[in-house]
Amino acid sequence: TQEERLGDPQRAFAVLREALAEAGDQPELAETLDHLERLGGDPDRHAELLDAYLKVVDAVLDASLQARVLRGIGALSGAQGRLDEARRAYERLLEQRAGDDAAADALERVLVQQADHDALAELLVRRGERSEGEAQGELFMRAAEIYRGQLSRPEDAIGLFERVPGDSPAGARAQIM
């Protein structure tokens, strides 16, 4: 590994950051990411790892590797309180992979932290539309409660309450609303 050859983890990390910037769409990109993430696992290097991800994300052409970089950006940005950056990363992931539940969960957490109720309700509705049964009912109920409570949009809430399957636990709650 670079670390073994150089004998200095910090220097090896710097060399790998440079290699990542140059790798773009090269076959060794996955291996470079593996090594960089291993060395970047040290909390003292998280900001540098995030910076490396941000510099390379648009140059990564392989969809699965770009998703990996975007997840890293989201996680590291969120941990550093850079919520706008985390949000953009998770939104990009969902544009590429609408059914990515992990990205949707992470985006939901960011939207809750940002108190962006409108975007959160929209996300819950989109997730509900891709779900079925009990999960769909719960997602629609949560969105409806946001529309009714935080956003003062009772018409939107009623429309979602009506979409909750009546035979689900959420359906019983929706009928009470």
Side-chain angles (χ1 to χ4, degrees), residues 67-128:
R68 177 176 168 182
V69 171
L70 286 167
R71 279 185 210 295
I73 290 170
L76 292 169
S77 296
Q80 293 176 25
R82 296 164 65 173
L83 298 179
D84 289 338
E85 230 163 55
R87 179 177 177 166
R88 281 190 299 275
Y90 292 127
E91 286 172 341
R92 278 184 69 181
L93 267 170
L94 289 172
E95 285 172 14
Q96 295 172 2
R97 303 169 183 215
D100 187 331
D101 288 333
D105 289 342
L107 178 58
E108 184 178 329
R109 287 189 297 275
V110 170
L111 294 173
V112 167
Q113 287 181 291
Q114 291 181 319
D116 189 339
H117 303 293
D118 201 28
L120 178 58
E122 289 174 19
L123 174 67
L124 293 171
V125 170
R126 285 193 312 270
R127 291 185 78 184

Side-chain angles (χ1 to χ4, degrees), residues 31-52:
E31 185 178 335
T32 302
L33 275 172
D34 289 341
H35 294 303
L36 188 69
E37 288 167 349
R38 186 178 53 74
L39 289 173
D42 180 343
D44 293 338
R45 294 193 188 111
H46 284 178
E48 292 175 87
L49 180 57
L50 175 58
D51 183 54

